[in-house]
Amino acid sequence: MAANIYIGEISENEAVQDNCFLMKIKVAPSFQNPLPGQFVMIRIAGLNDPFLSRPISIYSFSRNENYCVIELLYQVVGKGTRIMAGLIEDSQVEINGPLGNGFDTLSVKENIVMIAGGIGIAPLSMLTENLRRTHPLSNMMIYNGFQNASAVVGLDNMRRLCRNISVCTDDGTMGEKGFVTQIFQKDIKQYVPENTSIYACGPGAMLKSLAKILNKSKFSAQVSLEERMACGVGACMGCAVAIRDKDCTLAFKRVCADGPVFNLRDIIWE
Amino acid sequence: MAANIYIGEISENEAVQDNCFLMKIKVAPSFQNPLPGQFVMIRIAGLNDPFLSRPISIYSFSRNENYCVIELLYQVVGKGTRIMAGLIEDSQVEINGPLGNGFDTLSVKENIVMIAGGIGIAPLSMLTENLRRTHPLSNMMIYNGFQNASAVVGLDNMRRLCRNISVCTDDGTMGEKGFVTQIFQKDIKQYVPENTSIYACGPGAMLKSLAKILNKSKFSAQVSLEERMACGVGACMGCAVAIRDKDCTLAFKRVCADGPVFNLRDIIWE
Amino acid sequence: MAVKLGRLKLNNPVMTASGTFGYGEEYAGYVDLNRLGAVVVKGLSLKPRLGNPPPRIMETTGGMLNSIGLQNIGVEAFIEEKLPFLRKYDTAVIANIYGETYDEFKKVAKKLSLAKGVHALEVNISCPNVKKGGASFGTDPKIAARVTRTVKDETGLPVIVKLTPNVTDIAQIAESVEKAGADIISLINTLTGMSVDLNTRCPHLKNITGGLSGPAIKPVALRMVWQVIQRVSVPVIGIGGIMTAEDALEFLVLGAKAVEIGTANFVNPHATLDVIEGIKNYLADHKIKDINDIIGTFRN
Amino acid sequence: MAVKLGRLKLNNPVMTASGTFGYGEEYAGYVDLNRLGAVVVKGLSLKPRLGNPPPRIMETTGGMLNSIGLQNIGVEAFIEEKLPFLRKYDTAVIANIYGETYDEFKKVAKKLSLAKGVHALEVNISCPNVKKGGASFGTDPKIAARVTRTVKDETGLPVIVKLTPNVTDIAQIAESVEKAGADIISLINTLTGMSVDLNTRCPHLKNITGGLSGPAIKPVALRMVWQVIQRVSVPVIGIGGIMTAEDALEFLVLGAKAVEIGTANFVNPHATLDVIEGIKNYLADHKIKDINDIIGTFRN
Ligand SMILES: Cc1cc2nc3c(=O)[nH]c(=O)nc-3n(C[C@H](O)[C@H](O)[C@H](O)COP(=O)(O)OP(=O)(O)OC[C@H]3O[C@@H](n4cnc5c(N)ncnc54)[C@H](O)[C@@H]3O)c2cc1C
Ligand SMILES: Cc1cc2nc3c(=O)[nH]c(=O)nc-3n(C[C@H](O)[C@H](O)[C@H](O)COP(=O)(O)OP(=O)(O)OC[C@H]3O[C@@H](n4cnc5c(N)ncnc54)[C@H](O)[C@@H]3O)c2cc1C
Ligand SMILES: Cc1cc2nc3c(=O)[nH]c(=O)nc-3n(C[C@H](O)[C@H](O)[C@H](O)COP(=O)(O)O)c2cc1C
Ligand SMILES: Cc1cc2nc3c(=O)[nH]c(=O)nc-3n(C[C@H](O)[C@H](O)[C@H](O)COP(=O)(O)O)c2cc1C
Ligand code: FES
Ligand code: FES
């Protein structure tokens, strides 16, 4: 495994929205090029409080001969992310990565559909950038859902990358009113399972309802899951998610090492 | 008790020597004027690591109508003080104080002798400033001991306050060579117990040898002790020191609430 | 915010933990004692106790070790010198008592029952810091029961029995003291621990071992409170690592009728008041009128 | 830095703790396994185990709770798929074994004894996360002894018995497994704890309770290791909250012949190597030539 520990230096950590931040971290050039959907474990303090590292998807990545820059787009939801948001330029963080399996970017169909809920836009944004380069001819449609207008994040970058963008908010304060899965469902007839690749990331509830929609049909989708993590490298078995195994029996897979990207059909919901 | 909790704002935190720092903290005007020898409990991080607050003597204090400035002179010896040293301007700290009983500055004799070992100069410095004002006529002699020349701290301020200063270092790299208690012992004949007030602060070993010297004679001395502390307000009984009680029996007194200043004669050494 | 623990009525469920709030007066300058649910004073013994030789405390990750050895002024001095001050407040005063023999427990309980202004006794059968006795009382169900009975026979005050966590089966001890007549059960006391000074290769505490307290032990405290609540019917007081209102609410949700705040007072003398305010805000945010509507609402 | 634990020889006293280092390969990209004293693998059962439903972990102050429920691929898959990789290294491989019946312990021990490349067995009589059995084995001296004897009868490998801290008298259990033939005793496993999610008022862990690990428990681990070392003559391995070389040295000074590093690996995958380096530096600074000259130098 080519992931490793790096001392990162924060070169930027700006609020991009009420409680979302964009953090740019410089690491040594030996940092392996990440795949879209991979993440890092970030140790926020050298101290024991908070104790565990936090998993954050790689939002963007670039390198020059002297260093690499990892960009993280994150939302403040608790203690750890609050401390991250408070870190100033030049402060150091420990980075473990790149971790996990990214999205499958090889067998991509001619129609690409992205469904992002809230901060779930982070990994899909890097995926979009990547697919734009590798599959310039396939046509791409991106569905972005947010709680409300002031919760919108990462949209400008998406717009830069793709013309076909649908935006909705739960309360209709921006774009269409409704859940992103509902908006997508309205369009679903436009797509043919055989030539459509669907990628999704967002809250559990969103992915669950997406599963309801797709499992009625022949569509399959690659989705990125989230679970609390301790090690991030597959050693502790802490980030288990219930998956339908080859032989259709239930198995607990590790989001960090077997995922975070899974085939939506394989996920067993409570 | 007029001590209380204050949110302090660091206005300065400079290295005054290899591993000694001077921290200036702004607090609300309601902070009570401290007596020389009193201390504060400083909570370094809002987090639980390090867990306990740290006791630090008040090195200097000033106020204007808008705020008070508490100055702390501290040495980096471990985790907590290391973190203190890393705090930048404008960071906030929780201050509990002023705590403890200061030196007795009322019954002061015409000859004043100060004996400071290392960072022990901190409380004695404020005491000197105070006695200079309240007892301008008594003549003062200050003995300062340090490990070596590069460990010297707070001396300039002492020089500003008093002409009669003797400096020594364990290795002779500055001033006389020897322990400060030995240097004082050489001069002891110059002083008469009846009209001499002795104040001392420094490492346990120094105070112990001072006790050996003085207990042979009629001299008494007020010394400031140090112990690990949890509450700093007399509630936990954690900072106990063995003291000879009125009835000459052993009692465990609280350095924080019964001290930190004790009569050297009353201290029972191991 | 008032809660009832059997006969013991408190203005709110936030109490101080014995040994961490002195005799009340030490924190009276920081906290209006009238605002507390109860003040539990430092453990009292029949005669004044010298306590253990220093060093007595050491910081640990997320907590601290203490080996105070129950230094206290003794029950008589408490009644004469400390109780009058506490009587001035409209807050329940709870005397934490400690003995090395059944007879000592008996005598201390009796003296306090005759004194005016004590609202309940908390029986410390668990202090792990004193070499003689101490822990032993609380680690054997029969002995724990006998101490409970001994105290009950001497007093008409509500008797809170405070359990030690250094046992295999906390629920068994709880059931046993309940049968013996305990009106209320409080837990946990400190976990026994130690640490080594690598400069001297000696223990940091002169007493070698000490009691571990602070947020580090909260998960153990919550587990034991939950185990006990499932097995006894008397009210339970939750203790252990409470720093914030959220911490306190975890215990209340599990079914604790009240909580005691200990080590938190050291790092934040306003901790008790902050917890009370925080609980009020939580209830308001969740549109819960009565604190009792949150107690025991744990779902699993 | 080599140490001898009876017949078990280690290149250095720093081992990994079971369940925190996977099967070794998960960290092989971070740590040269050849530099470790030993790799202790995830607990192995006779058949593959699903483990507990998620959520399985929760952060606590200075530590974490886990209720993995011993998910593992089973002893056979381990021997076929994982052991060959570990054999490539010149580092002791220790199989941590777990069973819900004496017979399971027996069968697992037998299979591993026949496999090439296993240097010792660590018997987990203490896992507190599995509702059936688990803890119970380790909390009763007689049952603990019987498990020990059962395993000893099946194997010629050194048998390490790993104790649970959730007991009243750890030294009694230690003496009992020593008498039953344990070659080495390791401790501590996790302290049972829990925590409550105030948004849902449900436990954070689906399993309700879990095992507390990390620096928060170090003082308890040190105390128990010290208690055990005073009462048994077999080598003892210290486990619990070790994050740094200083932490490890505390256990060694008390008399532990080796240490296992667990949760620290999660927050710092280089933890084991950092501890080894740190111990070397400490020995150099104190002009101590042989690691064995520091072991058991505790003074009190
Ligand atoms: C593979 C992966 C990639 C992720 N990528 C991103 C990202 O790009 N941007 C981003 O903002 N967040 C991302 N997350 C979520 C992020 O890890 C959590 O929000 C963060 O760990 C919360 O830490 P905290 O201390 O602030 O919150 P806590 O105080 O620990 O918890 C606060 C709330 O956050 C929830 N939470 C805690 N940990 C997680 C977790 N691991 N996953 C989901 N919810 C959690 C808790 O249930 C609780 O409701 C990712 C998670 C995973 C597993
Ligand atoms: C009343 C009082 C006034 C003090 N005034 C000053 C001052 O003005 N300037 C200053 O630099 N220091 C002062 N100290 C000492 C200061 O409190 C300690 O140096 C500090 O708490 C160490 O914290 P740490 O986390 O850096 O060290 P730790 O990591 O906790 O310990 C490192 C070393 O410091 C020693 N130590 C820890 N706590 C104390 C303590 N409370 N007292 C003495 N030694 C300790 C330990 O034994 C250990 O050897 C004072 C102490 C007291 C009790
Ligand atoms: C310094 C100190 C002294 C204590 N003294 C007593 C005591 O005298 N009697 C008692 O029953 N518990 C005593 N305790 C235990 C506390 O009351 C409480 O049960 C324990 O600290 C756990 O709560 P906490 O984590 O909130 O501190 C003491 C605790 C500390 C830290
Ligand atoms: C996620 C996790 C899984 C564990 N699994 C096992 C196990 O399978 N068998 C075992 O004996 N101990 C297991 N343990 C206990 C550890 O080996 C160790 O005894 C305990 O965590 C204390 O050490 P630490 O504080 O360094 O982590 C596990 C601990 C954790 C955190
Ligand atoms: S976080 Fe440890 S296995 Fe996934
Ligand atoms: S530090 Fe608590 S009594 Fe002195």
Side-chain angles (χ1 to χ4, degrees), chain B residues 1 3-5 43 48 50-52 54 94 96 99 228-231 233-238 240 250-252 254 270, chain C residues 19 21-22 26-27 29-30 50-54 56-59 62-64 68 71 206 215 243 263 266-267 269-270:
Chain B
M1 199 174 75
N4 216 330
I5 304 293
R43 185 100 197 272
N48 288 323
F51 183 64
L52 297 173
R54 299 294 191 257
E94 276 169 51
N96 181 6
L99 299 170
R228 284 186 180 277
M229 292 186 176
C231 72
V233 302
C236 75
M237 305 286 157
L250 176 149
F252 288 120
R254 304 159 303 178
E270 287 226 329
Chain C
F21 210 69
E26 292 84 351
Y27 280 109
Y30 297 86
L50 204 49
N52 290 328
R56 291 176 170 183
I57 55 173
M58 181 61 195
E59 183 177 65
M64 65 178 279
I68 306 305
Q71 174 172 3
K206 187 79 174 180
M243 301 291 287
T263 304
F266 302 158
V267 295
H270 292 159

Side-chain angles (χ1 to χ4, degrees), chain D residues 211-230:
Chain D
L212 180 64
S213 63
I217 69 169
K218 192 186 70 171
V220 175
L222 285 165
R223 184 258 302 182
M224 290 188 163
V225 163
W226 183 70
Q227 287 178 317
V228 167
I229 280 172
Q230 289 169 295

